[in-house]
Amino acid sequence: MQHFMVGDVNKWSGIIFPSVLVLLMILSGLFYLELNLHKKEQELSILTKRMYEGKVIADMAYQKVAHLHQSSKKDEGVLQYNVGNVKYRVQDEEVRMSIYIDGYLMYDVKEKLPNKKSHSLK
């Protein structure tokens, strides 16, 4: 009877280590997938934030450039904002803006300037 128990213990002892390794590989794979998903979500969040910052800056810069062009005929320059800057150039009643956020070029915008009559007070 003692011989049977010793043989039974030896039979299962060789399977435990590979089973633990397989379980560890599966868990590390799942952890890697979760980290990758989190990284992609963070990148999407940052890009979305920069997109909205760029749109706000573009709207503010457009109004400022239109005012500067009408009042002082200034045709190009740089506008500084707290999250980025805008390089603009007015050509043929059209403004071209390059919006840089955190030092990286994010957007190139081209829009027509408003007519002088549309902004005059009556």
Side-chain angles (χ1 to χ4, degrees):
M1 178 139 208
Q2 190 178 14
H3 179 59
F4 177 73
M5 291 179 76
V6 171
D8 195 27
V9 170
N10 287 338
K11 179 179 158 185
W12 294 108
S13 64
I15 295 176
I16 293 175
F17 184 67
S19 299
V20 169
L21 286 179
V22 168
L23 182 64
L24 186 63
M25 285 176 44
I26 290 171
L27 291 176
S28 64
L30 289 174
F31 184 68
Y32 174 76
L33 290 175
E34 183 65 29
L35 280 178
N36 241 357
L37 179 64
H38 181 70
K39 179 183 173 187
K40 297 292 181 187
E41 287 175 354
Q42 290 297 317
E43 288 173 356
L44 179 64
S45 174
I46 289 169
L47 288 176
T48 303
K49 178 182 162 226
R50 285 182 179 169
M51 179 192 70
Y52 283 113
E53 287 173 347
K55 286 185 176 202
V56 169
I57 288 174
D59 288 342
M60 292 188 324
Y62 177 73
Q63 296 299 321
K64 181 77 170 179
V65 169
H67 176 71
L68 285 174
H69 182 69
Q70 287 178 1
S71 64
S72 65
K73 296 292 183 191
K74 190 172 180 186
D75 288 339
E76 62 182 65
V78 176
L79 300 173
Q80 299 285 331
Y81 294 97
N82 61 346
V83 294
N85 57 18
V86 178
K87 292 182 182 176
Y88 68 91
R89 180 180 198 144
V90 178
Q91 211 172 14
D92 300 328
E93 295 303 315
E94 185 175 81
V95 63
R96 293 175 182 254
M97 296 183 288
S98 296
I99 301 169
Y100 295 86
I101 297 176
D102 295 333
Y104 299 104
L105 176 64
M106 295 299 290
Y107 303 103
D108 279 327
V109 181
K110 180 171 72 171
E111 291 190 33
K112 292 213 178 268
L113 286 173
N115 293 336
K116 292 179 184 178
K117 294 178 183 176
S118 64
H119 287 285
S120 63
L121 297 174
K122 293 182 180 181

